[in-house]
Amino acid sequence: MNDRSAQRLAMLQEALASGGTLHLRDAAELCGVSEMTIRRDLATQPSPLSLLGGRLVMASYPGVTPVYDLTEQQASHYHVKHRLCQRAASFIDEGDTLFIDCGSTLIPLLGQLSHFRELTVVTYALNVANTVAALPNVRLVLLGGLFHASSQSFGSDGMRDAIERLGINKALISAAGVDWERGVSCFHFHEVAPKQAAIATAMQRLLVVDASKFGVVRPAYFASLADFDVVITDDERAPGLLENHPASSLSISVA
């Protein structure tokens, strides 16, 4: 562990030893660094601290439950997500229609789409749409509805039907939790319908997920592992973990 990073985390752990929370800006001021540096320390170093809703808290503190924050997720495991997206890009062919869901995992993939001459991207995520809209050779299909600021995404009763009417070659799906018995899950219930519709419609279904999500269960279940054709991950243990899983035809691609 980087010595300065370790010193900062030790200082913050001492500040929270008696319980309570510490706002990110106060933590940065206490350590004399930027908020991004504190985020990077937490994302790259082992620590009993968690960043929830812009506040630091001891992970073991009673009553602590995960809260999804898109900014925090974007800073978390960025380099791993970049590698996963490089592997995911190798599955894309010219002329494909891609479904890309919301969240931070697949954001590094978007910059790689500029290398293709012709693609269509279907999404319900505003951050995905904003990036894709600037790509000259990529056609964008943005699914609308009620906007959910926490995930920068839309949801509507008619979204499932809209997706099922499209010809989707590949569905690229991220997740906040992957459990061998409890399935694949996310934080937000409005994401369930579009994810399930894309999985049901697409010719190929790819789950893109880093190792920190394995063994985790989130509130909104949307699929079983058997629903996917490929799991793209950075966890070298994944093939062994899936040996006895009913999804015997599932392919594992380790980035």
Side-chain angles (χ1 to χ4, degrees):
M1 180 187 294
N2 178 278
D3 288 343
R4 292 183 179 179
S5 178
Q7 291 172 2
R8 289 192 293 268
L9 292 175
M11 184 185 304
L12 296 174
Q13 185 176 343
E14 183 178 351
L16 290 168
S18 60
T21 67
L22 183 65
H23 198 284
L24 179 60
R25 63 172 176 269
D26 296 326
E29 184 176 349
L30 177 64
C31 296
V33 294
S34 68
E35 294 183 16
M36 184 53 70
T37 297
I38 299 297
R39 290 182 185 275
R40 190 177 299 112
D41 289 344
L42 295 168
T44 60
Q45 309 291 356
S47 170
L49 302 175
S50 292
L51 185 58
L52 303 175
R55 291 180 175 274
L56 273 73
V57 63
M58 296 292 291
S60 59
Y61 191 69
V64 172
T65 56
V67 175
Y68 184 88
D69 184 288
L70 183 60
T71 302
E72 292 168 14
Q73 294 297 320
Q74 286 173 334
S76 176
H77 306 287
Y78 178 81
H79 296 295
V80 171
K81 292 172 182 176
H82 185 76
R83 293 203 313 272
L84 296 181
C85 288
Q86 286 182 315
R87 182 60 58 88
S90 69
F91 287 85
I92 299 173
D93 297 311
E94 286 288 352
D96 271 348
T97 295
L98 310 173
F99 175 89
I100 299 179
D101 67 3
C102 76
S104 62
T105 299
L106 292 169
I107 293 299
L109 174 66
L110 305 180
Q112 300 177 49
L113 300 185
S114 61
H115 302 306
F116 293 88
R117 294 188 300 274
E118 181 183 358
L119 288 175
T120 298
V121 169
V122 179
T123 188
Y124 59 99
L126 184 60
N127 57 344
V128 172
N130 284 336
T131 301
V132 170
L135 300 177
N137 300 322
V138 182
R139 181 169 55 178
L140 171 66
V141 178
L142 176 59
L143 304 164
L146 179 65
F147 181 65
H148 298 265
S150 61
S151 59
Q152 291 284 297
S153 63
F154 298 91
S156 71
D157 292 338
M159 192 174 288
R160 183 189 297 270
D161 291 339
I163 293 171
E164 291 177 349
R165 288 194 295 268
L166 298 170
I168 296 173
N169 298 97
K170 279 134 190 160
L172 294 116
I173 307 292
S174 61
V178 178
D179 184 81
W180 315 119
E181 296 181 357
R182 303 287 295 277
V184 188
S185 55
C186 60
F187 281 99
H188 303 115
F189 288 97
H190 73 271
E191 293 186 54
V192 171
K195 286 176 185 282
Q196 288 182 340
I199 290 169
T201 304
M203 297 175 65
Q204 186 177 36
R205 293 75 54 90
L206 300 96
L207 177 64
V208 185
V209 61
D210 66 77
S212 69
K213 309 303 191 304
F214 289 136
V216 175
V217 177
R218 296 306 187 196
Y221 166 89
F222 65 87
S224 72
L225 279 168
D227 292 323
F228 294 93
D229 302 299
V230 181
V231 174
I232 299 173
T233 183
D234 63 315
D235 191 339
E236 295 180 353
R237 301 170 301 160
L241 290 170
L242 287 174
E243 281 180 358
N244 300 317
H245 194 274
S248 58
S249 62
L250 190 64
S251 172
I252 307 297
S253 182
V254 180

